[in-house]
Amino acid sequence: MLDLIPLLGSWTPHLDGRFAVATIVGAGGSVPRPVGTSMLVAESGAVLGSLSGGCVEGAVVALAQEAMDDDGSRRRTFGFSSTDAFAAGLTCGGELDIHVEPVPAAVPGGTPHPLRAALIQLVSAFSGEPVALVRRLSPDGAAGGGAAVVLPDPARASAAAPELAALLSAVGPGRAGTEIPALVQSLLRAGGAGLVPLAGPDGCLPDRAAGSHGRPALLVESRLAPPRMMVFGANDFGAALVPAAKLLGYHVTLVDARPAFANQTRFAAADAVVTDWPHRYLAAEAAAGRLDSRTVAAVLTHDPKFDLPLLETALGLDLAYVGAMGSRRSHLQRVDDLLSAGIPPGRIAQLHSPIGLDLGAVTPAEVAVSITAELIAARTRAATGIPLRDRSGPIHGHHADQASTAGPSAPTTLYQQENAWT
């Protein structure tokens, strides 16, 4: 649902009428959109958003109309069918598990439906800010679902918060009673999305084989503040990397100790421009708690008097990515200098140097593509860096074995964690 926040303002006139919310709650193989992606369907037929880029939207709209007709939720799985030419499915060969929840028309003077209230909250208060949405999904065919709560600060949210008490009321005793809240809190603080099946009356969790279609579940969506990228070096390569990093959703800071170089209009795309010694600025940001495990440091100064103290500082921090520009000869000398400074070999091995993937890049713009390509590859466990035509398996990164460890926590990095306890 959080993917729709930028568009919800234009859909406000439909929020008083009857509508349905269709959400991807499971994804496997090659699929175009991740778990948490939603589409709204109004009784009038108006649609906001997309789930598959066109493959299954027509069938989902029909499901939404059925759900609105009988006020019962729907849950369907769409995949590729080679036997039925007229079946709705994914031509990419993947599989989407889609949940549809109807929202009845607003009753004048009545208590707003929880999903309607949540959408209105998201429209009015959370444009671009950290936010989470936790929804209770009804089993297929059940009525009366749609309980939801909006949390404005997911990084500090607790599953024990009063707002979540009603949603977690179905958690049974014992093992389920401790593991479900822990999973919810983990998802909230990590950013992304995941489905958490709830325990049955006996307090037992479903096993992987049984799945969760026949019981209620929680869908947790969390969007943290944008991850930070610090670009060190006010030069042509820095000027090309800043807008490229912005496209990936980073909050970008350009840092250079030389005012004459840093204070140029070509760096206007940066969220902040700082004139300071790079290592001093990085250490101060770390001490202030403004860095985390999603933070990226791109060292483009290519000058030992800046690079070495900066890399000594950066390699002592828990950052997602530290890369440094330079030739192979510069890299070897850099490694020797870092070893002489007492940096452990294991930490030096985490340095991406020379920075970027081998794309044959020459111009600053091409180098920026090379660096951002390596950033994307570094934050997934399944990236190969080879042409998609030369590899088998899923071509999209939205599947369970690719939980993001770096990069934006917007919906592009959502991950599936259904049955994570097994």
Side-chain angles (χ1 to χ4, degrees):
M1 185 90 74
L2 301 186
D3 61 305
L4 295 178
I5 290 178
L7 307 174
L8 284 175
S10 64
W11 220 73
T12 302
H14 298 285
L15 292 182
D16 282 335
R18 183 182 297 181
F19 63 92
V21 180
T23 305
I24 297 175
V25 296
S30 297
V31 292
R33 301 301 305 276
V35 171
T37 303
S38 291
M39 182 174 78
L40 304 184
V41 181
E43 189 175 30
S44 65
V47 174
L48 182 70
S50 174
L51 299 180
S52 69
C55 300
V56 303
E57 269 72 4
V60 173
V61 168
L63 276 178
Q65 295 290 352
E66 291 177 13
M68 286 185 280
D69 287 342
D70 64 12
D71 290 325
S73 65
R74 298 289 190 276
R75 186 162 173 183
R76 298 289 186 273
T77 299
F78 295 90
F80 175 73
S81 174
S82 60
T83 58
D84 187 351
F86 297 99
L90 299 172
T91 56
C92 55
E95 189 172 87
L96 287 178
D97 190 7
I98 295 175
H99 181 274
V100 179
E101 193 82 54
V103 179
V107 178
T111 302
H113 188 280
L115 265 180
R116 176 179 287 105
L119 285 168
I120 293 172
Q121 268 190 280
L122 293 175
V123 169
S124 62
F126 298 109
S127 178
E129 299 175 17
V131 64
L133 174 66
V134 183
R135 298 165 50 196
R136 186 168 178 180
L137 308 180
S138 300
D140 185 29
V149 60
V150 175
L151 303 172
D153 192 4
R156 294 177 175 82
S158 168
E163 302 95 318
L164 292 177
L167 294 181
L168 293 173
S169 61
V171 175
R175 179 168 168 260
T178 58
E179 291 189 17
I180 290 177
L183 279 171
V184 170
Q185 184 163 306
S186 175
L187 285 165
L188 288 173
R189 295 185 177 184
L195 191 69
V196 181
L198 295 177
D202 57 358
C204 295
L205 300 170
D207 59 31
R208 188 179 297 275
S212 60
H213 279 60
R215 66 176 68 218
L218 295 181
L219 177 63
V220 182
E221 300 177 68
S222 178
R223 183 182 71 186
L224 305 182
R228 295 191 62 186
M229 177 188 282
M230 285 166 289
V231 177
F232 298 98
N235 52 34
D236 291 343
F237 297 100
L241 182 57
V242 166
K246 293 286 291 179
L247 285 175
L248 293 184
Y250 287 96
H251 182 281
V252 183
T253 302
L254 179 86
V255 185
D256 200 294
R258 304 161 298 178
F261 290 89
N263 297 327
Q264 297 182 35
T265 56
R266 60 177 176 162
F267 302 116
D271 295 288
V273 176
V274 174
T275 304
D276 197 354
W277 277 80
H279 72 284
R280 186 166 60 193
Y281 174 75
L282 183 63
E285 291 297 285
R290 289 191 283 266
L291 309 181
D292 59 28
S293 59
R294 302 176 300 149
T295 301
V296 168
V299 182
L300 310 181
T301 45
H302 200 223
D303 185 335
K305 70 175 178 290
F306 295 120
D307 292 359
L308 289 175
L310 174 57
L311 290 174
E312 289 180 34
T313 303
L315 292 174
L317 301 173
D318 179 24
L319 304 182
Y321 176 100
V322 179
M325 178 173 283
S327 65
R328 298 193 184 281
R329 178 181 176 184
S330 298
H331 170 68
L332 293 175
Q333 181 61 53
R334 185 181 289 145
V335 169
D336 288 341
D337 292 338
L338 291 171
L339 288 171
S340 298
I343 305 300
R347 300 296 293 184
I348 296 175
Q350 298 175 21
L351 174 63
H352 295 264
S353 173
I355 195 171
L357 292 186
D358 181 12
L359 304 181
V362 176
T363 67
E366 292 171 345
V367 171
V369 173
S370 169
I371 295 171
T372 52
E374 187 178 42
L375 274 176
I376 295 170
R379 72 184 187 219
T380 65
R381 294 192 296 270
T384 64
I386 65 175
L388 290 173
R389 67 178 183 182
D390 295 334
R391 61 156 292 178
S392 59
I395 63 171
H396 296 286
H398 309 306
H399 40 85
D401 61 341
Q402 295 187 19
S404 175
T405 57
S409 61
T412 54
T413 62
L414 299 177
Y415 61 92
Q416 170 72 353
Q417 195 167 337
E418 180 168 0
N419 297 332
W421 47 80
T422 57

